[in-house]
Amino acid sequence: MQTKILPPTDNAYQYQLLIKSLLLSGARYEPDREIVYSDVMRYNYRTLNKRIAKLANVLSEAGVQAGDTVAVMDWDSHRYLEAYFAVPMIGAVLHHVNIRLSPDQILYTMNHAEDDYVLVHDDFLALAEPLADQMPSVKGWIQLTDQDSAASTSLPTLGEYEALLGAASDQYDFPDFDENSVATTFYTTGTTGNPKGVCFTHRQLVLHTLTMASTLGNYEGQPLLRSEDVYMPMTPMFHVHAWGVPYVATMLGVKQVYPGRYEPNKLVQLYQDEQVTFSHGVPTVLQMVIDCEAAKTADFNGWKMLTGGSAPTLGLANTMADLGVHFITAYGMSETCPILTMTYQRKDEFSQPMHDQMARRILTGVPIGMVDLQIIDPAGNPQPHDGEAMGEVVVRTPWLTQGYYREAEKSAELWEGGWLHTGDVASIHPNGSLEIKDRIKDVIKTGGEWISSLELESLISQHENVSQVAVVGVPDDQWGERPYAMVVPIEGTELTHDMLKQHLMQYVESGQIAKWAIPEKVSIVAEIPKTSVGKINKKLIREQVIA
Amino acid sequence: MQTKILPPTDNAYQYQLLIKSLLLSGARYEPDREIVYSDVMRYNYRTLNKRIAKLANVLSEAGVQAGDTVAVMDWDSHRYLEAYFAVPMIGAVLHHVNIRLSPDQILYTMNHAEDDYVLVHDDFLALAEPLADQMPSVKGWIQLTDQDSAASTSLPTLGEYEALLGAASDQYDFPDFDENSVATTFYTTGTTGNPKGVCFTHRQLVLHTLTMASTLGNYEGQPLLRSEDVYMPMTPMFHVHAWGVPYVATMLGVKQVYPGRYEPNKLVQLYQDEQVTFSHGVPTVLQMVIDCEAAKTADFNGWKMLTGGSAPTLGLANTMADLGVHFITAYGMSETCPILTMTYQRKDEFSQPMHDQMARRILTGVPIGMVDLQIIDPAGNPQPHDGEAMGEVVVRTPWLTQGYYREAEKSAELWEGGWLHTGDVASIHPNGSLEIKDRIKDVIKTGGEWISSLELESLISQHENVSQVAVVGVPDDQWGERPYAMVVPIEGTELTHDMLKQHLMQYVESGQIAKWAIPEKVSIVAEIPKTSVGKINKKLIREQVIA
């Protein structure tokens, strides 16, 4: 079809959606607002902008060229925030190294991304030093330290970060370039094969930021981040752009607190000292925070907390409600920048007492603006939004990775039929809320029916003596698969297979699950295997059970 | 420079920023929220989406092709909102006809835009009928009526809007196309020459909407439009997309009230009946609203009111504060989609008593996100942000017209040096607020110095007997130009040239203006000439004085 497209006037400015645009407004609005790095450093937005220019000068003078990749191995810090801007703004690619991976995996990702320069924190020197010889693409290292003097290292570093910034000019004329230039890259670990690299462009990150800002600010049922809030991430900055919030926070000019390495007591201390109002984290991290020593005397009332990454249990949600935390769920993944959906409540919903809202708040929410989302059956047919029908979640938004880096076959699978396939199975409730039922590969296929392993986990978690639970499907000669549950009791309480069976029978009687959904196989254990990002490692559990 | 650009996976979806994306979220969030058209019609978001599909079918079946231009001659209505979406979404261009222009100018604009189809309200039949023969490009007319049956007309219409929609399917598979396709066009009237056409693309409107949504929602000092608000425009929908708010409101799913023809008593009635919380309008319209009969018994407390288009006087602002209105100023123009800047107040500022905030609130505010803005001297040098230095406002944002339609020379002037020239002279205060001092052509150049005509107007307006005032520069043999003031007294009060002189002397004594800024020439009049959009017509005043 032939729409009307006009050639622009010759001298009209072709505004590209670049990350530097996100830096315009924060310092104009709130020049005196602070960026805080744990108990190590604090400065204001005027200084942030200058430091980003300084870092750009340091990198350029070190030899970083447009198109190069600059890796960061650091905890959440002001330095990481500066790199979020400075690296893409000089036309280079920021590689958020997942320092929770095994050394072999880290080596694999850094070589696969062809990192040219690496910013490495003292805490990762012992990890990096033996790998350095095996990274032929790396041309230089910059050392990051929180101490008065940097630790000694065998790495050939260009110097220490603060010393280098101290000597650099705070002026940099950031260039314009194509908005489709890659800005960031990082790796997602599936349960099989090597980590897969995803890439995000300037355009994608700007559009994610703008839509996210409105989503966090415009909705009265979920007001998460507005100009007077104080932000502290509890999802690491190496993990899907800390869900994209640092870019939003910087655009808005809000106070930001970066906590360094996540230590629950320190997180609670910073929350209190810096008057944090908004954070986000996966359920396991949040559980650690509310269970820690410092939490016993802390007042969490009013803390706005976005969760995601895996489904929070109703048990955790109710604990949050008891504490006065405004607990909200979002859904997304590494491939999606990440945000796709977020809790949305209408006035009659958010006006209810908090405890009555929790069953809705732990659903994964409603697709946010600009997101086209469907649930489809294996033949690709969209399923009804009746809260019952299940289908795979497929999406189109302006901020989806356009493939896996140098993985043509997996890229084609990801984008089968022109929709990004999340690999998640969900239903959509009549009120628009998406409920993730399971990973397609974790759905338990038994006797021709599907059982959601997550639903079983949720029901088991509601037993008062259950601390953690994982359910997987294991091979069965008669039924194809049968559910198997691994359960951690709350310390000092009793828990038996029979008690769990009896607990689940109430849900059979109420019609919530079928009788054949009750697992015959249950293990009571002290710990459940986790992945590097703190999610339950179902692949490993399956292997352990079968072996 | 060579940044890293990766080819997308073959089957990856290339998401274009199209207006249809803005329609995804409203009905998902708030399917039962209402769109209200005066006392004529009301329906919910589910119906809105269906009616947009119906209108698309009506237009397609009438023969509208991608690239065609569809003109609308209507007051603010649900129909106009539907056209805001349906016309661009089928790949056509929506021409918002400025029905306040003279018949000759309207004819000029409709021929210049090469309108293919016209949606015309009964109220404009008398205007359109004699012009129809002189519009060779027009292939068809659709009649809009608020009555049970449409008025009789000599125009060869395809039918009446509601009847046509009633017969159309509510399913339409809206196509994808290039986001740089023109979505809207309209004409801006300068003080000289023919009206000039500006065009906005899908991409520009989506980016304006996203940034605007965040600006209206995220800032605690200016919370204008959030999910529980009720929106009613008082800037016509034919005027720069009603400042872009209908797109924002629809994306958010808020209740929208369209008032038809602006009649002050009806606006106040709708404000009360529909519990409107957010509106916007030029100062003259707002003045009419608060001065009308119905206003005498209305409670305006809490009404959030965005003004712009021309500078509000401190007098109007203080009246608004007396009424409890949250009065906020924005700045932009037809060429800029329109928003460039908006009031931003820090916590220590918005915590003050309302009357103490007004002097700041009537400044034009701080550039919003994504806006790059400078004030430059005639040589192009950026001026300091000291609240004193004046310069022309030049901008870069992702939503600026890329030229005037078929006006190469004026387009090149608009974009001189790669910045869009607003033609406005301003200073920027140390707190970041832009203060528009004047139009470059209205600055009074006297004895080698500049006097802002707007500043003089503001000072004169603070005399208790002054209702309205206009100041222009008129030729002077000795000084080049001298200021001339035209003043309307408040009915039943006395006002003389001497009283005004004496009033202005206090500002000379306080150092706010120089003695030579006091006009020797003053006319006390019953009315000040206005343009079609209600702004003071300085060109006409100058002509009258010289003649």
Side-chain angles (χ1 to χ4, degrees):
Chain A
M1 63 189 290
Q2 195 59 50
T3 56
K4 186 170 194 166
I5 297 181
L6 299 174
T9 304
D10 284 345
N11 52 353
Y13 181 70
Q14 302 301 298
Y15 196 111
Q16 296 293 298
L17 301 178
L18 298 178
I19 283 176
K20 69 174 178 177
S21 330
L22 301 176
L23 204 56
L24 287 165
S25 45
R28 279 194 303 230
Y29 282 138
E30 297 286 353
D32 296 320
R33 278 274 170 76
E34 283 183 321
I35 312 292
V36 178
Y37 172 41
S38 188
D39 53 0
V40 179
M41 196 160 194
R42 60 176 64 229
Y43 56 74
N44 66 25
Y45 269 75
R46 279 190 195 90
T47 303
L48 172 67
N49 284 19
K50 285 184 188 164
R51 286 178 58 97
I52 288 169
K54 280 169 171 277
L55 176 54
N57 279 312
V58 166
L59 295 172
S60 297
E61 283 158 26
V64 178
Q65 304 279 323
D68 281 356
T69 300
V70 178
V72 174
M73 304 175 79
D74 195 5
W75 310 111
D76 288 8
S77 69
H78 66 300
R79 297 174 295 246
Y80 223 134
L81 180 67
E82 290 156 13
Y84 263 46
F85 286 90
V87 174
M89 282 166 65
I90 62 172
V93 178
L94 178 67
H95 176 192
H96 314 106
V97 179
N98 183 345
I99 43 76
R100 293 284 188 196
L101 297 181
S102 70
D104 278 359
Q105 284 178 312
I106 290 176
L107 180 63
Y108 173 84
T109 63
M110 295 179 74
N111 278 329
H112 190 267
E114 298 167 295
D115 292 340
D116 295 286
Y117 294 83
V118 187
L119 278 57
V120 58
H121 185 274
D122 283 350
D123 286 0
F124 307 109
L125 291 176
L127 172 74
E129 283 164 358
L131 304 178
D133 283 349
Q134 306 165 60
M135 296 181 187
S137 61
V138 174
K139 303 183 187 76
W141 300 76
I142 290 174
Q143 198 173 350
L144 315 175
T145 188
D146 300 333
Q147 312 303 323
D148 288 340
S149 60
S152 72
T153 176
S154 63
L155 292 173
T157 77
L158 300 163
E160 194 279 321
Y161 188 91
E162 290 297 337
L164 290 167
L165 258 65
S169 160
D170 62 9
Q171 300 291 317
Y172 195 102
D173 189 15
F174 289 103
D176 283 350
F177 44 78
D178 189 325
E179 67 189 24
N180 295 305
S181 302
V182 176
T184 65
T185 188
F186 53 90
Y187 284 76
T188 173
T189 48
T191 43
T192 55
N194 282 318
K196 301 191 288 292
V198 294
C199 295
F200 294 93
T201 66
H202 284 255
R203 171 185 163 106
Q204 291 170 331
L205 285 164
V206 168
L207 290 166
H208 186 269
T209 303
L210 292 175
T211 310
M212 185 84 167
S214 161
T215 305
L216 297 176
N218 287 103
Y219 296 103
E220 296 292 14
Q222 60 182 75
L224 292 178
L225 185 60
R226 293 173 174 170
S227 59
E228 299 304 318
D229 279 298
V230 178
Y231 165 61
M232 177 174 77
M234 303 199 303
T235 314
M237 298 182 84
F238 61 75
H239 194 215
V240 212
H241 317 109
W243 297 356
V245 183
Y247 287 121
V248 179
T250 305
M251 181 178 82
L252 300 181
V254 306
K255 177 174 170 182
Q256 303 180 52
V257 181
Y258 290 94
R261 182 177 187 158
Y262 291 175
E263 199 286 305
N265 290 297
K266 188 176 67 179
L267 291 170
V268 171
Q269 194 63 49
L270 281 169
Y271 159 77
Q272 290 175 306
D273 292 348
E274 303 296 340
Q275 300 181 286
V276 169
T277 63
F278 171 55
S279 295
H280 51 76
V282 296
T284 44
V285 166
L286 305 190
Q287 187 76 55
M288 276 164 45
V289 166
I290 60 177
D291 286 348
C292 80
E293 189 59 30
K296 288 178 183 161
T297 55
D299 177 4
F300 291 138
N301 196 48
W303 197 359
K304 295 177 282 187
M305 184 68 71
L306 186 66
T307 196
S310 62
T313 60
L314 192 56
L316 174 63
N318 281 325
T319 305
M320 287 292 183
D322 291 341
L323 294 168
V325 173
H326 292 271
F327 194 61
I328 283 159
T329 309
Y331 165 65
M333 53 202 295
S334 297
E335 289 82 348
T336 66
C337 200
I339 306 293
L340 297 174
T341 70
M342 197 177 292
T343 301
Y344 182 87
Q345 295 199 108
R346 297 179 194 127
K347 192 167 188 183
D348 60 333
E349 296 171 330
F350 71 71
S351 306
Q352 293 172 347
M354 188 60 88
H355 278 278
D356 297 348
Q357 301 178 29
M358 297 321 296
R360 254 190 333 270
R361 283 178 178 249
I362 61 168
L363 300 184
T364 32
V366 180
I368 69 169
M370 309 293 288
V371 173
D372 199 354
L373 182 149
Q374 298 188 351
I375 51 172
I376 59 169
D377 69 13
N381 302 309
Q383 299 300 294
H385 296 186
D386 58 8
E388 297 286 332
M390 288 197 249
E392 189 187 4
V393 179
V394 296
V395 288
R396 291 172 167 177
T397 85
W399 51 77
L400 306 176
T401 191
Q402 297 291 287
Y404 293 115
Y405 188 49
R406 300 197 281 145
E407 298 267 14
E409 199 176 320
K410 285 173 184 158
S411 297
E413 278 170 27
L414 180 70
W415 276 104
E416 194 193 326
W419 290 81
L420 184 140
H421 288 251
T422 62
D424 285 318
V425 170
S427 62
I428 297 178
H429 288 257
N431 77 347
S433 276
L434 188 76
E435 182 176 10
I436 302 295
K437 296 287 194 173
D438 222 332
R439 292 293 292 168
I440 259 203
K441 60 182 173 39
D442 289 334
V443 165
I444 301 157
K445 291 106 182 168
T446 185
E449 297 289 335
W450 282 9
I451 301 173
S452 159
S453 64
L454 295 185
E455 186 171 12
L456 270 187
E457 286 167 5
S458 170
L459 296 178
I460 292 171
S461 79
Q462 287 170 56
H463 188 287
E464 57 180 2
N465 293 357
V466 168
S467 166
Q468 289 177 55
V469 55
V471 173
V472 299
V474 293
D476 183 276
D477 288 342
Q478 189 176 356
W479 302 105
E481 283 187 340
R482 288 296 299 151
Y484 160 79
M486 189 178 260
V487 184
V488 180
I490 287 174
E491 225 180 296
T493 67
E494 198 200 349
L495 196 63
T496 65
H497 189 172
D498 272 352
M499 287 165 71
L500 286 175
K501 247 194 220 168
Q502 203 176 335
H503 170 73
L504 287 174
M505 273 309 292
Q506 64 179 300
Y507 303 113
V508 174
E509 279 152 25
S510 68
Q512 213 166 334
I513 50 171
K515 186 145 187 252
W516 43 260
I518 296 182
E520 295 87 19
K521 301 176 192 170
V522 173
S523 300
I524 311 292
V525 297
E527 203 175 349
I528 289 176
K530 300 269 169 49
T531 66
S532 63
V533 295
K535 294 188 193 182
I536 292 170
N537 190 337
K538 296 208 170 179
K539 187 188 164 214
L540 195 59
I541 295 172
R542 256 185 239 106
E543 287 170 359
Q544 287 176 351
V545 180
I546 298 167
Chain B
M1 62 188 291
Q2 195 60 52
T3 55
K4 187 170 194 167
I5 297 182
L6 299 174
T9 303
D10 284 345
N11 51 353
Y13 181 69
Q14 302 300 298
Y15 196 111
Q16 295 294 297
L17 301 178
L18 298 178
I19 283 176
K20 70 173 177 176
S21 331
L22 301 176
L23 203 56
L24 287 164
S25 46
R28 280 194 303 229
Y29 283 138
E30 296 286 354
D32 297 320
R33 278 274 169 75
E34 283 184 321
I35 311 292
V36 178
Y37 171 42
S38 190
D39 52 0
V40 178
M41 196 162 197
R42 59 175 65 228
Y43 56 74
N44 65 27
Y45 269 76
R46 278 188 196 89
T47 304
L48 172 67
N49 283 21
K50 284 182 188 163
R51 285 177 58 95
I52 288 168
K54 280 167 171 279
L55 176 54
N57 279 311
V58 167
L59 295 172
S60 296
E61 283 157 28
V64 178
Q65 304 279 323
D68 281 356
T69 300
V70 178
V72 174
M73 303 174 78
D74 195 7
W75 309 111
D76 288 8
S77 70
H78 66 300
R79 297 175 295 245
Y80 223 135
L81 181 67
E82 290 156 13
Y84 263 46
F85 286 91
V87 174
M89 281 166 65
I90 63 173
V93 178
L94 178 68
H95 176 191
H96 315 106
V97 179
N98 183 345
I99 42 77
R100 294 283 188 197
L101 298 181
S102 70
D104 278 0
Q105 285 179 311
I106 290 175
L107 180 64
Y108 173 84
T109 63
M110 294 179 74
N111 278 330
H112 190 265
E114 298 167 296
D115 292 340
D116 296 285
Y117 295 84
V118 187
L119 278 58
V120 58
H121 186 274
D122 283 350
D123 286 0
F124 308 109
L125 291 176
L127 172 73
E129 283 164 357
L131 304 178
D133 283 350
Q134 305 165 60
M135 297 181 186
S137 61
V138 174
K139 303 182 186 77
W141 300 76
I142 290 175
Q143 199 174 348
L144 316 175
T145 187
D146 299 334
Q147 312 302 324
D148 289 340
S149 60
S152 72
T153 175
S154 63
L155 293 174
T157 77
L158 300 164
E160 193 278 321
Y161 188 90
E162 290 296 337
L164 291 168
L165 257 64
S169 160
D170 63 8
Q171 299 293 314
Y172 195 102
D173 189 14
F174 289 102
D176 283 349
F177 44 78
D178 189 326
E179 67 189 25
N180 295 305
S181 302
V182 177
T184 64
T185 188
F186 53 90
Y187 284 76
T188 174
T189 47
T191 42
T192 54
N194 282 319
K196 300 191 289 291
V198 294
C199 295
F200 293 94
T201 65
H202 285 255
R203 173 187 161 105
Q204 290 171 333
L205 285 164
V206 167
L207 290 167
H208 186 267
T209 303
L210 291 175
T211 310
M212 185 85 166
S214 162
T215 306
L216 297 176
N218 287 103
Y219 296 104
E220 298 291 15
Q222 60 182 77
L224 292 179
L225 185 60
R226 291 173 175 170
S227 58
E228 299 304 319
D229 278 298
V230 177
Y231 166 60
M232 178 175 76
M234 303 199 304
T235 314
M237 297 181 84
F238 61 75
H239 194 215
V240 212
H241 316 110
W243 297 357
V245 183
Y247 287 121
V248 179
T250 305
M251 181 178 82
L252 299 181
V254 306
K255 178 174 170 182
Q256 303 179 51
V257 180
Y258 290 94
R261 183 178 185 156
Y262 291 175
E263 199 286 304
N265 290 297
K266 190 175 67 177
L267 291 171
V268 171
Q269 194 63 49
L270 281 169
Y271 159 77
Q272 290 175 307
D273 292 349
E274 303 296 342
Q275 300 181 283
V276 170
T277 62
F278 170 55
S279 294
H280 51 75
V282 296
T284 44
V285 166
L286 305 190
Q287 187 76 54
M288 276 165 45
V289 167
I290 60 176
D291 286 348
C292 79
E293 190 59 29
K296 288 178 183 159
T297 55
D299 177 4
F300 291 138
N301 196 47
W303 198 358
K304 295 176 283 187
M305 185 68 72
L306 186 65
T307 197
S310 62
T313 60
L314 192 56
L316 174 63
N318 280 326
T319 305
M320 287 291 181
D322 291 341
L323 294 168
V325 173
H326 292 271
F327 193 63
I328 283 159
T329 309
Y331 164 66
M333 53 202 295
S334 296
E335 289 82 347
T336 65
C337 199
I339 306 293
L340 297 174
T341 71
M342 196 177 291
T343 301
Y344 182 87
Q345 295 198 108
R346 297 180 194 128
K347 193 168 187 181
D348 59 332
E349 295 171 330
F350 71 72
S351 305
Q352 293 173 348
M354 188 61 88
H355 277 278
D356 296 347
Q357 301 178 30
M358 296 323 293
R360 254 191 331 271
R361 283 177 179 251
I362 62 168
L363 299 185
T364 33
V366 180
I368 70 169
M370 309 293 289
V371 173
D372 200 355
L373 183 149
Q374 297 187 352
I375 50 173
I376 58 169
D377 69 13
N381 302 310
Q383 298 299 295
H385 297 186
D386 58 8
E388 298 285 333
M390 287 198 251
E392 188 185 7
V393 179
V394 296
V395 287
R396 292 172 166 178
T397 85
W399 49 78
L400 305 177
T401 192
Q402 298 291 287
Y404 293 116
Y405 189 47
R406 298 197 282 146
E407 299 268 16
E409 199 177 320
K410 285 172 184 159
S411 297
E413 278 170 26
L414 180 70
W415 276 105
E416 194 194 325
W419 290 81
L420 185 139
H421 288 249
T422 62
D424 285 318
V425 170
S427 62
I428 297 178
H429 288 257
N431 77 347
S433 276
L434 188 76
E435 182 177 9
I436 301 294
K437 296 287 192 172
D438 222 331
R439 293 292 294 167
I440 257 202
K441 59 181 175 40
D442 290 335
V443 164
I444 301 157
K445 291 106 183 165
T446 185
E449 297 289 335
W450 282 9
I451 301 173
S452 159
S453 64
L454 295 186
E455 186 171 12
L456 269 186
E457 286 168 4
S458 171
L459 297 178
I460 292 171
S461 78
Q462 286 169 58
H463 188 285
E464 57 182 2
N465 293 356
V466 170
S467 168
Q468 289 177 56
V469 56
V471 173
V472 298
V474 293
D476 183 276
D477 287 343
Q478 188 175 358
W479 302 105
E481 282 187 340
R482 287 297 299 152
Y484 159 80
M486 187 177 263
V487 184
V488 180
I490 287 174
E491 226 182 294
T493 66
E494 197 200 348
L495 196 63
T496 65
H497 188 173
D498 273 350
M499 288 164 71
L500 287 174
K501 248 195 218 166
Q502 202 174 336
H503 170 72
L504 287 174
M505 273 309 291
Q506 66 179 297
Y507 304 113
V508 173
E509 280 152 23
S510 69
Q512 213 166 335
I513 51 170
K515 186 145 189 258
W516 43 262
I518 296 183
E520 296 86 20
K521 301 178 191 171
V522 173
S523 301
I524 310 292
V525 297
E527 203 173 350
I528 289 177
K530 301 269 167 50
T531 67
S532 63
V533 295
K535 293 188 195 183
I536 292 169
N537 191 337
K538 296 208 169 178
K539 187 187 165 212
L540 195 59
I541 295 172
R542 255 184 239 107
E543 286 170 0
Q544 288 176 350
V545 180
I546 298 168

